[in-house]
């Protein structure tokens, strides 16, 4: 018996798309928007051509359906008839046809792995591929993962547990020395306990149904010198446990991060305030039973149900302000997550987010991204190029750079916007530049008023050649760039023309 994937199934794990390698959107015909597609899926129309039946699909059968009006694609073991979706696909029909009659999982992951396709294409589900379940999971067997990773250094993690009358301590031995509090994510709800530990490009999962009840609050401690993590739970009753609990799905597994599904937890909206005429600062509170710290330069996914379909969008968390003195009191980072989000009146997701009331809930994923804090090691010059809300990854980068990099000589931010009213946290940036002489901030406007005396235009060789001057000829430099795809793509081309190497550039996608 085949089971239809649930709409609440977590969206597949994603990496932010590097703009230079991403896809371009194509203009859609009138009546072919995402909302139009959602309406079609709710209309009751047979979108599979199978009159509601689900079938097992052989590889030979899949290959037969490779035409535009008869196009089946396999994603992670499930087969979808995407012909009805052709005209609604933002990447165009040709992009979908690249996977016609084939397993399109790898292509999907390269371009838009963050899309919640299970919900988007639920009404297009033909059935499951007739293959072994182990293949369907998209996971390497444990022994194969271990063998693969052994060549790169880490050995297989392990765990143990200890107890006193009132406490239970779960100890995770990562066998790595670069583990910190950002590396561990803990969630427990009812009797389900899960701890994800990020080890290089893999994720070690402990997933247990606890044998007894515990209180909501707990503590996490990392002993970096030996790569040990201790999670201390408080028992609800002072009784001796005979065993920790029973294993749940994927317990004691080491999974490549690209193959792991995202886990979501519901976070409560605590505050919402205007930053510009169309940008808001949202503050979300993590559940008391969650430990999650989003690493610098990484992002999470926000998920909302909209007209019965779950829509997922990536956002980079920011600090509550650039520095605590600009806004008091600042809520502790380990329990609250802040987002600077531009509201698009004609959009689908952000107006719904903006309509949320204080106390409402938003689903927030575990973090991901390719940026590593090791890129700051011995850094001397840091250049930041941001356009619009592409400023969001720069917030934590600025904070960290100016407070935690002793070798840093200069930080320069070039911030592109349309008008003065669009500049996010302008006064904070100007005050910070006065306070810390290592920071230079330049604002560039594409549609300024006649009173504007600053720089004008779009990203260009003339602007960058003057801006990107190293402190010393051979100083270690990093250029971070984020904004709309055309801005980032053009910026990367210009950086290469100015002889910045690939290792000196990190791009984010706004």
């Amino acid at each position: 018996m085949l089971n239809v994937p649930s709409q609440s199934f977590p969206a597949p794990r994603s990496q932010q798309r590097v703009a230079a390698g991403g896809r371009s959107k194509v203009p859609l015909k009138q009546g072919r928007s995402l909302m139009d597609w959602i309406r079609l899926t709710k209309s009751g129309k047979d979108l599979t051509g199978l009159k509601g039946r689900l079938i097992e699909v052989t590889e030979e059968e899949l290959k037969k359906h490779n035409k535009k009006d008869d196009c089946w694609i396999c994603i992670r073991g499930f087969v979808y008839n995407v012909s009805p979706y052709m005209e609604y696909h933002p990447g165009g029909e040709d992009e979908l046809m690249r996977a016609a009659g084939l397993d399109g999982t790898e292509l999907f992951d390269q371009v838009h792995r963050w899309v919640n396709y299970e919900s988007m294409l639920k009404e297009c589900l033909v059935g499951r591929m007739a293959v072994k379940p182990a293949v369907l999971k998209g996971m390497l067997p444990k022994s194969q993962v271990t063998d693969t990773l052994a060549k790169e250094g880490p050995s297989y993690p392990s765990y143990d547990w200890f107890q006193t009358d009132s406490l239970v301590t779960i100890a995770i031995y990562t066998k790595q020395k670069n583990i910190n509090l950002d590396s561990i994510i803990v969630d427990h709800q009812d009797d389900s306990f899960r701890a994800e530990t990020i080890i290089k490009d893999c994720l070690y999962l402990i997933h247990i149904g606890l044998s007894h009840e515990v209180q909501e609050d707990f503590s996490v401690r990392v002993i970096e010198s030996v790569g040990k993590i201790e999670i201390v739970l408080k028992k609800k009753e002072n009784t001796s446990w005979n065993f920790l609990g029973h294993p749940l799905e994927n317990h004691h597994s080491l999974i490549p991060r690209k193959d792991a599904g995202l886990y979501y937890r519901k976070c409560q909206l605590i505050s919402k305030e205007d930053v510009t005429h169309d940008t808001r600062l949202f503050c979300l509170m993590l559940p008391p039973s969650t430990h999650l710290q989003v690493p610098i330069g990484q992002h999470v996914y926000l998920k909302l149900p909209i007209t019965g379909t779950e829509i997922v969008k990536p956002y980079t968390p920011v600090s509550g302000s650039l520095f605590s003195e600009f806004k008091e009191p600042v809520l502790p980072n380990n329990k609250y997550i802040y987002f600077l989000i531009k509201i698009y009146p004609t959009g689908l997701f952000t107006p719904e987010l903006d309509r949320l009331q204080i106390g409402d809930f938003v689903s927030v994923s575990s973090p991901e991204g390719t940026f590593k804090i090791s890129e700051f090691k011995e850094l001397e010059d840091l250049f930041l190029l941001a356009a619009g809300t592409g400023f969001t990854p720069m917030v934590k980068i600025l904070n960290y750079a100016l407070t935690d990099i002793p070798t840093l000589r200069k930080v320069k931010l070039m911030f592109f916007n349309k008008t003065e009213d669009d500049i996010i946290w302008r006064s904070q940036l100007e005050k910070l530049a006065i306070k810390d002489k290592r920071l230079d901030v330049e604002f560039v406007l594409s549609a300024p008023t006649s009173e504007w005396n600053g720089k004008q235009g779009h990203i260009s060789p003339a602007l960058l050649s003057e801006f990107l001057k190293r402190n010393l000829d051979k100083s270690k430099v990093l250029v971070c760039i984020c904004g709309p795809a055309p801005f980032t793509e053009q910026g990367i081309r210009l950086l290469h023309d100015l002889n910045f190497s690939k290792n000196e550039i990190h791009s984010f996608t706004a």
Side-chain angles (χ1 to χ4, degrees):
M1 186 73 177
L2 292 170
N3 295 315
V4 179
S6 167
Q7 285 190 337
S8 62
F9 192 82
R13 197 161 185 86
S14 161
Q15 286 184 328
Q16 261 177 313
R17 182 161 46 88
V18 176
R23 60 169 184 162
S24 299
K25 291 188 176 182
V26 299
L28 297 174
K29 297 177 183 177
Q30 186 75 19
R32 295 296 184 268
S33 68
L34 176 57
M35 183 56 78
D36 292 316
W37 170 250
I38 291 173
R39 290 193 190 101
L40 178 61
T41 63
K42 306 300 179 188
S43 67
K45 184 176 181 180
D46 178 16
L47 299 182
T48 65
L50 298 176
K51 298 180 180 179
R53 291 183 300 120
L54 292 174
I55 63 174
E56 282 199 335
V57 182
T58 64
E59 191 173 337
E60 292 73 21
E61 181 66 23
L62 177 64
K63 288 178 181 178
K64 296 176 185 176
H65 301 271
N66 61 359
K67 301 177 182 64
K68 194 167 290 188
D69 59 353
D70 181 23
C71 182
W72 290 8
I73 292 175
C74 174
I75 305 176
R76 288 189 175 83
F78 291 98
V79 178
Y80 300 89
N81 180 357
V82 298
S83 296
Y85 183 59
M86 286 282 180
E87 292 186 345
Y88 298 84
H89 185 234
E93 297 177 356
D94 291 344
E95 191 75 13
L96 283 177
M97 288 304 296
R98 291 172 63 191
L102 303 170
D103 187 330
T105 305
E106 186 175 347
L107 178 62
F108 178 86
D109 285 349
Q110 287 173 0
V111 179
H112 45 11
R113 188 161 53 223
W114 59 274
V115 173
N116 195 348
Y117 68 90
E118 294 100 333
S119 181
M120 291 278 292
L121 298 177
K122 182 182 178 184
E123 301 305 322
C124 298
L125 180 67
V126 171
R128 190 194 292 266
M129 284 295 291
V131 291
K132 294 180 181 179
V135 178
L136 289 176
K137 287 184 180 179
M139 286 174 48
L140 294 172
K142 174 178 170 180
S143 59
Q144 192 174 342
V145 173
T146 308
D147 292 344
T148 301
L149 295 179
K151 299 173 184 176
E152 301 174 4
S155 52
Y156 209 86
S158 61
Y159 78 98
D160 204 345
W161 70 285
F162 314 93
Q163 65 177 314
T164 65
D165 288 343
S166 59
L167 303 174
V168 169
T169 299
I170 299 174
I172 301 172
Y173 306 98
T174 68
K175 300 168 188 176
Q176 299 295 299
K177 292 187 178 180
N178 59 347
I179 298 297
N180 53 43
L181 285 173
D182 292 351
S183 305
I184 176 75
I185 304 164
V186 182
D187 293 277
H188 74 77
Q189 186 175 10
D190 300 325
D191 67 338
S192 174
F193 172 89
R194 56 179 291 132
E196 301 179 2
T197 305
I198 299 166
I199 302 175
K200 291 195 172 182
D201 293 325
C202 291
L203 191 153
Y204 174 63
L205 177 64
I206 292 177
H207 194 192
I208 295 172
L210 296 174
S211 62
H212 293 71
E213 291 186 346
V214 295
Q215 298 179 33
E216 281 189 329
D217 60 315
F218 59 92
S219 62
V220 180
R221 186 166 75 104
V222 174
I223 301 95
E224 293 186 30
S225 58
V226 294
K228 179 183 177 184
I229 298 168
E230 291 182 344
I231 304 163
V232 181
L233 309 174
K234 299 176 183 177
K235 296 179 179 178
K236 276 198 172 179
E237 296 181 358
N238 292 350
T239 183
S240 178
W241 294 17
N242 294 326
F243 63 103
L244 181 61
H246 58 275
L248 299 176
E249 184 181 9
N250 294 331
H251 171 61
H252 190 45
S253 293
L254 188 62
I255 310 167
R257 288 184 72 185
K258 64 182 180 65
D259 295 332
L262 283 174
Y263 182 82
Y264 287 84
R265 69 281 301 154
K266 288 190 175 181
C267 298
Q268 191 172 32
L269 179 62
I270 297 300
S271 66
K272 176 175 60 174
E273 64 181 60
D274 292 342
V275 176
T276 71
H277 62 100
D278 62 359
T279 302
R280 316 267 190 272
L281 178 66
F282 293 83
C283 176
L284 301 178
M285 182 173 66
L286 290 165
S289 54
T290 291
H291 166 86
L292 185 157
Q293 294 183 191
V294 181
I296 293 169
Q298 296 199 14
H299 59 281
V300 298
Y301 296 88
L302 304 186
K303 180 168 67 173
L304 285 174
I306 300 176
T307 63
T309 298
E310 287 181 335
I311 305 298
V312 180
K313 293 289 182 183
Y315 292 100
T316 303
V318 299
S319 309
S321 65
L322 284 177
F323 266 81
S324 59
E325 68 186 65
F326 295 130
K327 181 184 174 185
E328 295 290 351
V330 173
L331 298 170
N333 287 331
N334 61 341
K335 286 296 176 185
Y336 297 86
I337 307 181
Y338 296 90
F339 298 93
L340 281 168
I341 298 176
K342 182 174 181 178
I343 308 301
Y344 295 91
T346 59
L348 182 65
F349 188 86
T350 56
E352 195 72 22
L353 186 67
D354 199 33
R355 280 192 283 268
L356 293 178
Q357 302 297 309
I358 303 304
D360 287 346
F361 288 86
V362 182
S363 294
V364 179
S365 78
S366 300
E368 68 167 29
T370 59
F371 189 84
K372 292 181 172 59
I373 206 166
S374 58
E375 297 192 45
F376 289 128
K377 190 176 181 181
E378 298 178 355
L379 190 66
E380 295 172 87
D381 291 318
L382 175 62
F383 299 106
L384 308 176
L385 301 171
T389 50
F391 172 65
T392 55
M394 311 307 175
V395 174
K396 287 189 175 182
I397 288 174
L398 265 176
N399 265 312
Y400 183 82
L402 294 174
T403 55
D404 291 282
I405 306 178
T407 56
L408 192 67
R409 297 172 182 268
K410 200 71 180 173
V411 181
K412 297 181 74 175
L413 167 67
M414 183 169 277
F415 194 1
F416 294 79
N417 285 278
K418 187 175 182 181
T419 69
E420 285 186 81
D421 291 339
D422 294 318
I423 302 174
I424 298 170
W425 283 350
R426 179 180 179 178
S427 63
Q428 288 196 29
L429 286 166
E430 290 173 338
K431 289 175 183 177
L432 186 57
I434 292 171
K435 178 183 176 182
D436 196 317
K437 301 303 180 185
R438 293 173 298 169
L439 174 63
D440 284 342
V441 180
E442 296 183 16
F443 301 111
V444 184
L445 302 183
S446 60
T449 62
S450 57
E451 288 80 23
W452 176 253
N453 296 319
K455 288 184 167 62
Q456 301 182 27
H458 299 274
I459 192 166
S460 66
L463 284 172
L464 293 192
S465 58
E466 179 64 26
F467 175 74
L468 296 169
K469 287 188 175 177
R470 301 173 189 248
N471 214 5
L472 299 170
D473 286 343
K474 294 185 178 180
S475 60
K476 183 175 179 184
V477 64
L478 177 66
V479 184
C480 295
I481 182 168
C482 185
F487 169 86
T488 307
E489 290 166 4
Q490 173 72 356
I492 291 174
R493 283 194 292 269
L494 293 175
L495 289 170
H496 289 314
D497 291 343
L498 292 169
N499 296 319
F500 286 90
S501 69
K502 184 179 179 181
N503 293 334
E504 293 175 327
I505 303 169
H506 191 97
S507 62
F508 304 89
T509 300

